[in-house]
Amino acid sequence: MGFYSANTPEQKRVKKLTGDINISDMFKKECQTRGIAIYNAYNIQKRLIHEVEQEQLVGIEQVDERLMELLDERGKVEVPYRYVDLISNEDSASRGVIPPMPKNESLPPKDQIRIPPRARDGQTFPNDSELPEREMLIKIMNQNKKIINQNKIIMEQLRKLGEKDD
């Protein structure tokens, strides 16, 4: 089984474009090309993360557009290409996110859902009320044997303790 990531597609896209905690090398190079200082690159990254967390940006396209706006605002050098077009959208999509349950399908009532006790072979075991009388007596006898054996062990321990006191 894989693990479930709580990151939204927008958060994944911001991390893909700018890096995680540290700024990615590609984003650093882009900022240097545009004449943006490194502290402003961190500010852009923080700004994007904040806007995504506040749900101001919904959708990968809005994240891309906002990043390009911030880069154009802070940039001192004009660049003929778009930075977001250089990075693919594949990994930022909702891979690993559990899809929402379809609304048109309804589950059967709980009393109709039956899960077998041993799912690997589907074998079911009879309840105490379903056991024949002979098997019920054997089961009770085995339980009594276990109790008797436990009592014998306790009696031996008590005898040992009683001998030490004398």
Side-chain angles (χ1 to χ4, degrees):
M1 284 184 65
F3 71 91
Y4 174 73
S5 172
N7 290 339
T8 62
E10 291 87 6
Q11 288 172 328
K12 288 180 185 179
R13 184 64 176 167
V14 170
K15 286 181 183 176
K16 178 89 174 171
L17 291 170
T18 63
D20 197 1
I21 296 170
N22 298 320
I23 291 182
S24 66
D25 293 334
M26 198 167 172
F27 188 59
K28 277 184 190 175
K29 287 179 188 173
E30 180 66 23
C31 289
Q32 287 174 352
T33 306
R34 291 176 178 263
I36 300 173
I38 192 72
Y39 65 88
N40 276 334
Y42 278 106
N43 290 341
I44 290 171
Q45 181 189 33
K46 286 180 187 176
R47 179 67 171 210
L48 274 176
I49 291 171
H50 177 72
E51 289 180 8
V52 166
E53 287 174 351
Q54 296 299 316
E55 296 179 358
Q56 294 173 354
L57 301 176
V58 179
I60 294 172
E61 295 81 20
Q62 283 190 354
V63 172
D64 291 353
E65 292 302 319
R66 182 64 178 146
L67 176 63
M68 289 310 298
E69 286 174 18
L70 292 171
L71 285 174
D72 290 339
E73 274 179 22
R74 305 272 171 96
K76 297 174 183 158
V77 178
E78 288 292 323
V79 179
Y81 59 88
R82 283 174 47 98
Y83 170 67
V84 292
D85 294 337
L86 301 175
I87 299 173
S88 68
N89 284 339
E90 297 167 5
D91 293 340
S92 346
S94 60
R95 190 179 72 181
V97 175
I98 297 174
M101 185 173 164
K103 293 184 175 137
N104 56 1
E105 293 181 24
S106 63
L107 293 175
K110 281 189 173 183
D111 57 340
Q112 291 182 2
I113 298 174
R114 180 150 167 29
I115 300 172
R118 294 178 60 191
R120 65 174 176 257
D121 57 7
Q123 180 180 357
T124 58
F125 298 100
N127 296 338
D128 286 345
S129 60
E130 298 171 353
L131 286 176
E133 188 175 334
R134 177 173 170 75
E135 288 181 24
M136 183 64 96
L137 290 174
I138 291 172
K139 185 175 179 182
I140 293 171
M141 189 173 65
N142 288 337
Q143 289 174 348
N144 287 340
K145 282 183 185 177
K146 288 178 188 175
I147 293 171
I148 291 170
N149 287 337
Q150 289 173 350
N151 287 342
K152 285 181 183 177
I153 293 170
I154 292 171
M155 294 296 286
E156 288 176 22
Q157 293 294 328
L158 288 173
R159 281 190 203 118
K160 288 179 184 176
L161 289 172
E163 291 171 2
K164 290 181 183 175
D165 290 341
D166 291 341

